[in-house]
Amino acid sequence: FTQSIDAITGKTALEVRGDETGFDETLYWRLAEVEGIASLAPVVEATALVEGSEGEILLVQGIDILTDQNIRSYAFAGQKIPKDVRPLLGKFLTRHAIVLTARFARRHGLEVGSTLSLVTPQGVVRYEVVGLLLPQGPAKAQGGNIALVDIATAQETLGKLGKLDRIDIVVAPGFSVQEVKQRVARLLPPHLQVQRPSRRNAQVEKMLRSFQLNLLGLSLNALFVGMFLIYNTVSVSVVQRRQEIGILRALGVRRREILGVITLEGLLLGIGGSLAGIGLGVLFARFALSLVSRTITSLYLLVAIERIVVGIPEAGLAIGVGTVSALLSALLPAWEASRVSPQEAWQKGSLESKQRQNYWKVSLAGVGVLSLVYPVSRLPAVDDLPVFGYLAAFLVLLGSSLLTPALTLGGCRLFHPLLRRLFPVEGRLAIGNLTNSLGRSSVVIAALVVGLAMMVSVATMINSFKVTVKVWADQTITADLLVIPATKYEGAGSIGMPAEVAEGIARIPGVAAVDPYKDLWVRFQYGEVFVIAADFDVFSRYSRYILVQGRREQVRQELVKGEGILVSDNFAYRYGLGAGDTVILETPHGPQSFRIAGVYVDYASDRGVIFVDRSAYLRYWDDPFLDMIGVYLHPRGDAATVQQEILQRFGPRYRLFVTPLEDFKAEILKVIDQTFAITYALEVIAIMVAILGVINSLFATIMERQWEMGVLRTLGTLRGQLQQIILIEAGLMGFFGNLIGTVTGVVLSWVLVAVISKQSFGWTVYLHVPVPLLSGFALVILLVALLSGYLPARKAAQLKVTEAVQYE
C-alpha cells in the first residue's frame, strides 16, 4: 500500500483532501494564487467494477494531464519519446477516452482502439482505450489496476460534477513546505485538510495496527511453542550425554565450559532454524497474503499485492528473534547440566529426581503468575493498544505451562487405577515412564497445552463474535431484500448508485417501504468516524435495534428532525461519550454540532459508528448517492417477484445485487470467517510444532531406555507390548495436553473477548464456548498424538535384544 501511494504521489509535497463526497472544484483556482506553490494538480478518483470480470476492480483517476505531468511521470507505450504527452493529448481530451496500464491491457486482451466497459454511478459506461502506460510511476500502483481519464470525463461518469477528491501541490524552490502548508490551510473550509502524503500512510498504519498486532501475537505464540521444543531437544541431549558430561567434569572441565558448549548448541539450533524459517515463511506468506489482502480490502481499503517483500530489516529481525528464543530455551538445561557433579552423572535417574524436587517450586511460580492475570487485565489500554491485555494472555499461557508438571503428575496418579485395570502391565509401565521422565514429557505436554489453548481461545472468540453479531443482525437488519451495487462487495471506496434507484423501487407493487443507506468516513473533534446515513423513521419502524442509552421515542423524534444522532456503544466507550453529549462533525457546510440522542449496539466499524438521518445527511453533505437500499415488503408481497422486477428495471444499467435477507446475513458471517481464516492457519503451525515435540520426546525415550527395553524383552515382554507402552505414553501426553489446554483456552478466551477485543475495538462481545467444536479439536489432537507415537513404537519393537542389552 505504501509503495502504491508513493508511486501515485510523485513529486507531491502536500495534498488537500476531504471526505469521500469530494469538495467544490473552485477551491483549485483559489489555491493557484497562493505564494510558494509551483504546481497544482486536481484529481478525481474512485474504484469501478470491470464489466464482464469476476469482481475485478480498477482505480480510475481523473486528471488534468497538462498540469499532472509536472508532478507525476507517465511513460506511454509505442511512442518515440515515451514521456511525451503531446501525441496523446488530442485523443485523451475526448469524451470517454481512457488510458490503461500495459499490464492490465495485456491481461484482458485489450489494445489501443479497444473498448472497456466499467460500472459507474451513471450505469455501465464504455470507454475507448487511447493509450497504454509502461510500468513506471503511477502505473506500478495497485498491481497495474489503475486507469487515467480526463478530469471532465471522470466528473461526468463518476457522478462528481463540479467536485474534486484531491489537489496535489508541489512547493516552489526557496519556500518551506510548512510555510506553504500554513498558507493553504488558511484558505480551506473546516472539513478539508492539507497534509503531507506520508501522513496518509501513517493514518493507514494506525488504522490497521490492531489487525497487525493480532497477527503478531499469534505468530509469537507459534514461536513460544517452538521454544518448548528447543528446550526439550537440548534437555534430551543433556540426558543422553549425562555420563559423557560426568567424564568431562572428572577430567577437569569447568562448569562454565559445560555451560558454554551446551548453550552454543542451542545458539546453532536457533541460527539454523531461523534461516530455514525465513524460507518457509516466504512460502507460507504466498498463501497467507491472499487471505490477509482479501480481509484488508473488504474491511479497510483497496490493496493489490504484487510481490512478497522480505528486506534485510525483516530478515535480520527474524534471525535475531529466533536465535534469542533458542538461546533462552537452551540456557536452563545448559545450566542444569553444568551443575551436575561427576558422581551424580553416573547415577541413573539422578537428574530426574533432582527435577522432581523442584516441581513444587515451579508449581508455586505458576500459581503466582496466574494470580497476576486478573489485576493485569484490568489495566487500561496504552495509546488504544491492549498492551496489558496481551500481557495477561501471556501470563495465562506461562502460568499454565508452569503448572503442567504438577497437573500431569496428579493426573497420572488419578488415572493409574483405571489404566492398570485396562492394561495391567503396559499401562503401569507407561505411567511409570511418563512420571520418571516428567522433566522432559511435561515440557512436551506444555507445548501441546499452549498450542491447543490458543486454538481453543481463538475458536471461542470467533464463535462468540459470530453469535453476538448474528443476534445483532437478526434484531437490526430486518429488510426483506437488500439492493447493493456490485462494487460494494469489494470493500471501502466503492462508487455507489444514484438515489433515483431507491425512488423507483419504492413505486414497485408489493413494496411497503425503502431505506436508502449511505456510509462514509467523516472527520470530527477526535479524529475520523464511520457515519451511516439512513431513513431513521423507516429504520425505527422495522428494526429492533438494541438501545443502550436513551429513550426510544425521544431518539426517533430527534433523529427524524435531523437534530440528534445515534452513536455505537464502541464509539461511546472509546471516546467516553454518552446520551446528552455533543459531537462536532466536519461537513461541506462547515462544522455542525449534533446532540447524542442515544447509544446503540452496532458492529459496522471497529472505530465506532455515528447514525444520522438521511435528511440531515442531504442537508449537510449534498451527496445523493447510495451504498445500499433496504426493501420492506407488504405482508402479501412476494419477495421473488419484487426481486425480479428490481433486476429487470435497474440491474442491466447499474449491475445490482438483489439479496434476500438470509443470504445477506450469511455473507456477514462469511466475512467474519474470512477475516479470521489466517488465525487458524497460524494456530495449526503451533499445534504441528507441539506434535513434533511429542515425536521427539518418544524417540528420546526409546534411545534413553534401550537397555531397559532389552531387559524387558529378555524377561518375555512381547514386541506388541512394547508398542502398546509407547502408544499409551503418547496417548497420555495427548490426553493431559488436551485437558489442561482446553481449560487454559477457555480462560484465555475470556481475556481475548473481555479485554483485548474490548480495548482494541470497544465492542461488547458475549462469551459463547463452542462445545462441539472444542470436542472435535480434543479428539483430533488425541488421535494425532497417538499417531505421533506410531513410529517410535515401531522403533521400540524392532530393537534387537542383544544390542539393547549391550547398549551401555
Side-chain angles (χ1 to χ4, degrees), residues 137-204:
K140 294 165 61 178
Q142 302 296 340
N145 277 38
I146 187 170
L148 304 178
V149 299
D150 181 60
I151 194 164
T153 298
Q155 288 176 321
E156 175 194 351
T157 59
L158 301 180
K160 297 189 177 185
L161 289 175
K163 289 187 176 183
L164 302 175
D165 289 309
R166 192 177 82 236
I167 298 176
D168 293 340
I169 300 171
V170 176
V171 176
F175 291 87
S176 72
V177 174
Q178 188 61 30
E179 178 185 3
V180 175
K181 180 181 178 181
Q182 291 174 354
R183 291 175 182 174
V184 170
R186 286 194 286 268
L187 294 177
L188 298 181
H191 73 290
L192 301 183
Q193 57 182 328
V194 56
Q195 62 184 25
R196 299 293 293 265
S198 58
R199 190 178 166 211
R200 192 157 31 130
N201 290 348
Q203 289 172 339
V204 170

Side-chain angles (χ1 to χ4, degrees), residues 252-464:
V253 176
R254 287 171 291 185
R255 293 180 187 273
R256 66 170 178 268
E257 291 171 330
I258 297 290
L259 178 67
V261 168
I262 297 175
T263 303
L264 182 61
E265 290 179 6
L267 183 66
L268 292 174
L269 279 172
I271 294 172
S274 299
L275 290 172
I278 291 174
L280 291 171
V282 171
L283 290 176
F284 180 69
R286 297 183 187 281
F287 161 73
L289 279 174
S290 63
L291 296 175
V292 174
S293 60
R294 206 179 308 142
T295 299
I296 296 299
T297 297
S298 62
L299 296 182
Y300 298 106
L301 49 97
L302 178 67
V303 62
I305 297 175
E306 299 179 74
R307 59 193 174 93
I308 294 170
V309 180
V310 184
I312 292 176
E314 290 87 357
L317 180 64
I319 293 173
V321 170
T323 303
V324 170
S325 300
L327 190 60
L328 292 174
S329 303
L331 276 177
L332 183 58
W335 184 83
E336 288 176 345
S338 69
R339 299 292 98 189
V340 175
S341 67
Q343 182 182 5
E344 288 176 334
W346 282 90
Q347 292 175 357
K348 190 171 179 64
S350 60
L351 182 61
E352 288 293 346
S353 62
K354 285 183 70 176
Q355 287 178 337
R356 278 197 294 272
Q357 294 171 13
N358 293 324
Y359 291 155
W360 69 271
K361 298 178 182 178
V362 174
S363 300
L364 282 177
V367 172
V369 168
L370 289 175
S371 67
L372 294 174
V373 171
Y374 184 77
V376 168
S377 69
R378 307 317 297 167
L379 295 175
V382 179
D383 193 23
D384 288 337
L385 293 177
V387 175
F388 293 108
Y390 285 108
L391 178 58
F394 175 74
L395 291 176
V396 170
L397 295 175
L398 181 60
S400 299
S401 301
L402 293 173
L403 280 174
T404 296
L407 293 173
T408 302
L409 196 59
C412 285
R413 290 174 179 171
L414 182 66
F415 288 99
H416 192 199
L418 177 62
L419 273 176
R420 284 188 63 180
R421 196 171 293 119
L422 295 174
F423 308 99
V425 176
E426 297 88 347
R428 183 175 182 178
L429 287 173
I431 283 186
N433 289 342
L434 195 63
T435 54
N436 287 334
S437 61
L438 197 57
R440 180 176 61 252
S441 56
S442 62
V443 172
V444 175
I445 295 170
L448 268 177
V449 166
V450 172
L452 183 62
M454 284 301 296
M455 184 166 275
V456 166
S457 63
V458 169
T460 302
M461 179 188 69
I462 295 171
N463 183 68
S464 300

Side-chain angles (χ1 to χ4, degrees), residues 603-805:
Y603 297 91
S605 171
D606 59 355
R607 287 196 287 170
V609 175
I610 291 179
F611 190 118
V612 302
D613 187 68
R614 182 159 175 77
S615 60
Y617 181 75
L618 292 175
R619 187 187 317 148
Y620 297 117
W621 276 272
D622 302 322
D623 173 29
F625 293 103
L626 305 173
D627 290 318
M628 186 168 63
I629 301 169
V631 180
Y632 299 90
L633 304 178
H634 287 296
R636 296 183 180 179
D638 181 62
T641 303
V642 173
Q643 181 181 18
Q644 190 63 31
E645 185 68 20
I646 294 172
L647 289 173
Q648 287 180 355
R649 292 193 188 186
F650 306 103
R653 182 175 179 183
Y654 299 106
R655 297 301 186 265
L656 305 178
F657 289 105
V658 183
T659 308
L661 178 61
E662 292 308 314
D663 290 352
F664 183 75
K665 290 178 181 177
E667 188 69 24
I668 293 175
L669 298 180
K670 180 181 174 182
V671 169
I672 294 173
D673 287 332
Q674 174 183 301
T675 302
F676 290 108
I678 186 64
T679 62
Y680 281 127
L682 290 169
E683 291 318 308
V684 168
I685 290 176
I687 293 293
M688 288 171 61
V689 171
I691 292 299
L692 285 174
V694 174
I695 298 172
N696 183 33
S697 179
L698 293 173
F699 268 120
T701 296
I702 294 166
M703 288 188 293
E704 186 185 353
R705 296 183 183 141
Q706 285 192 40
W707 183 83
E708 179 185 319
M709 290 180 178
V711 171
L712 287 172
R713 292 280 290 121
T714 61
L715 293 175
T717 305
L718 302 175
R719 295 181 187 272
Q721 287 179 303
L722 278 183
Q723 286 182 315
Q724 278 190 347
I725 292 168
I726 300 298
L727 287 173
I728 291 170
E729 197 171 339
L732 287 172
M733 286 184 180
F735 177 77
F736 291 130
N738 259 322
L739 193 61
I740 304 169
T742 301
V743 174
T744 302
V746 172
V747 175
L748 190 59
S749 64
W750 172 82
V751 177
L752 291 179
V753 170
V755 182
I756 294 177
S757 178
K758 185 72 174 178
Q759 292 185 357
S760 294
F761 311 117
W763 286 322
T764 300
V765 179
Y766 301 99
L767 193 66
H768 292 272
V769 180
V771 176
L773 183 62
L774 300 193
S775 302
F777 281 168
L779 183 60
V780 169
I781 295 296
L782 186 59
L783 290 175
V784 171
L786 285 169
L787 288 174
S788 69
Y790 174 71
L791 288 176
R794 281 194 61 185
K795 174 78 173 176
Q798 291 169 358
L799 285 176
K800 293 182 179 180
V801 177
T802 54
E803 292 180 5
V805 174

Side-chain angles (χ1 to χ4, degrees), residues 64 201 291 406 504 526 582 589 786:
D64 180 345
N201 290 348
L291 296 175
Y526 300 116
T582 299
H589 288 266
L786 285 169

